[in-house]
Amino acid sequence: MAKFKCKVCGYVYDEDNGEKRRDLAAGTKWDDVPDTFKCPSCGAPKKSFVAI
């Protein structure tokens, strides 16, 4: 599973863990995360994330 880092604040979205605060179950692939996703730490849009 992959990880994606917010370029604004450094928050890391880990596909293995998902994101409870955004109702994304563990195992949710980044491609399946909605384009409306906002960083749960700083509110940056999905386009602000890069693969790590």
Side-chain angles (χ1 to χ4, degrees), residues 7-52:
K7 295 186 289 185
V8 176
C9 72
Y11 164 85
V12 174
Y13 175 79
D14 185 337
E15 291 178 340
D16 284 334
N17 299 330
E19 177 50 64
K20 288 189 286 184
R21 294 174 283 182
R22 296 290 187 253
D23 294 323
L24 297 170
T28 302
K29 300 263 188 215
W30 185 247
D31 288 343
D32 296 330
V33 172
D35 290 337
T36 57
F37 176 82
K38 303 252 188 249
C39 176
S41 293
C42 73
K46 183 178 177 183
K47 67 182 180 180
S48 296
F49 283 72
V50 294
I52 56 171

